Amino acid sequence: MTRRRSLGPILVLLTTSVLAACRTVPPIVPFEAGTALAVDDAGVRQVLDAYLEISAGRAGLRGSARVALKGPDYRLDRPQRIAVERPARLRFEVVGLFDQLAAILATDGRRFDFFDASTGQVTRGPVTPTLLWDLTKIDLRPDEVVEVLLGSPEPTPGYVRAAAWRAPDGHLALAFAAADLGRDGSCAADPRQALVDTDCALEPGAGARRLAEEGGELFVFDRAGRLVEMRALEPDGVIRYRALFEEYSPLAEGDAPDFPKRITIRSPAVKAEARFAWKRVRLAASLSDRLFSLPEPRGARLGG
């Protein structure tokens, strides 16, 4: 994503070559040592199936969190009220002193509204790839932030399994990359099924090369099958962003799977970090459209 100077408030993994031997761990894997696993490994399928089931049950959420943002020349730590819904709807309400609203950002994924309490004005416009960076110092697209804040991001549609590795401590890394264009249409027809269908997965060695040449995504699970890290990779193993999922605990929804109460997003290229310490989380199958736009006040002006 190309950066421009913002008006609002490197880590590089060197992958110069990929060894295709089936028991060799490519250098993009976040383990000092590990064992490559077969594409049809039963343990891999079990973890992936359970994770995708959890992800499918998280369409949206509302809650409150302490959000800490920091970078080379800025630092902000304020409570926020948050609502997100797939695929790209979000609302951030920044709470200022004496529990007063300082700012609101709302987007339905296509257009955004931004209220600045210091001016009393609302800026509106189309969503751009750098919208969140310009307004919130989070270097991701709205759809990416929604996936991360739900605590169970799904691999990008059109991706398939590229490789899998087991660390000595039991952690499991699953890599996903773009599917072969020559595969039959069944893999493209159902993106979620393509993630678990071994017929859609990339061949051993080819998957590691695809990751190195084109980039992809890496998901790391702990021994209990909980997601602890996700990396979005560019070619040559460069990390575009890294999300960490910590402090899992039960939600109020009874038998709902545990939720990561601390989520951290790191963007090495701009040396930025956003940490969400959730105070309250309530999952929702759907949210009102009114959350993702702002009413027209006097003095509103067009933006974007």
Side-chain angles (χ1 to χ4, degrees):
M1 190 181 296
T2 303
R3 282 288 142 253
R4 64 173 182 267
R5 186 174 297 276
S6 171
L7 300 178
I10 287 198
L11 176 63
V12 175
L13 297 181
L14 299 178
T15 309
T16 57
S17 64
V18 176
L19 301 179
C22 64
R23 309 308 291 180
T24 299
V25 179
I28 61 166
V29 181
F31 305 145
E32 293 182 359
T35 302
L37 301 175
V39 70
D40 58 352
D41 181 86
V44 170
R45 178 64 184 262
Q46 182 179 12
V47 169
L48 184 57
D49 282 349
Y51 175 72
L52 292 177
E53 182 177 356
I54 291 172
S55 184
R58 292 180 180 170
L61 67 74
R62 296 186 69 174
S64 59
R66 188 88 187 185
V67 181
L69 307 171
K70 64 179 181 180
D73 57 357
Y74 65 90
R75 189 178 294 267
L76 178 67
D77 188 343
R78 298 301 309 167
Q80 292 192 25
R81 293 189 284 267
I82 297 170
V84 298
E85 185 179 27
R86 284 178 169 143
R89 307 208 300 177
L90 64 82
R91 180 187 182 100
F92 291 158
E93 297 182 2
V94 181
V95 181
L97 294 176
F98 308 112
D99 208 30
Q100 294 183 342
L101 280 176
I104 304 175
L105 172 64
T107 175
D108 61 3
R110 299 180 298 276
R111 298 189 61 80
F112 78 92
D113 300 336
F114 177 70
F115 170 70
D116 184 348
S118 66
T119 64
Q121 292 185 321
V122 174
T123 301
R124 306 181 191 274
V127 170
T128 64
T130 62
L131 171 68
L132 294 184
W133 174 251
D134 294 337
L135 295 179
T136 71
K137 292 299 187 185
I138 299 175
D139 193 29
L140 279 70
R141 302 188 309 267
D143 61 303
E144 293 171 330
V145 169
V146 169
E147 290 289 329
V148 169
L149 292 186
L150 285 172
S152 54
E154 291 192 354
T156 295
Y159 278 13
V160 297
R161 271 184 286 170
W165 304 270
R166 180 78 67 181
D169 64 1
H171 282 200
L172 174 68
L174 301 183
F176 300 88
D180 284 333
L181 296 178
R183 293 293 177 94
D184 62 61
S186 62
C187 295
D190 188 343
R192 182 169 290 175
Q193 183 60 31
L195 295 172
V196 297
D197 192 337
T198 55
D199 291 335
C200 298
L202 298 175
E203 297 294 332
R209 287 193 296 273
R210 179 71 54 83
L211 285 168
E213 294 169 359
E214 301 179 16
E217 292 166 351
L218 187 70
F219 290 67
V220 182
F221 300 87
D222 65 14
R223 294 177 64 91
R226 299 177 302 192
L227 181 69
V228 294
E229 180 179 348
M230 181 264 181
R231 298 183 183 186
L233 302 173
E234 296 181 336
D236 296 327
V238 176
I239 298 176
R240 185 163 68 83
Y241 71 86
R242 179 185 182 194
L244 304 176
F245 304 87
E246 303 169 288
E247 299 183 4
Y248 277 84
S249 63
L251 294 176
E253 285 87 349
D255 59 352
D258 289 355
F259 189 88
K261 293 297 182 67
R262 186 169 70 181
I263 298 175
T264 305
I265 302 170
R266 293 174 180 159
S267 301
V270 291
K271 300 179 180 179
E273 178 180 289
R275 176 166 293 174
F276 295 77
W278 289 102
K279 305 300 182 184
R280 179 178 57 86
V281 174
R282 189 171 188 84
L283 299 179
S286 63
L287 296 172
S288 171
D289 294 342
R290 292 179 297 177
L291 286 170
F292 305 108
S293 62
L294 300 179
E296 187 78 39
R298 292 181 180 180
R301 60 185 176 84
L302 293 177

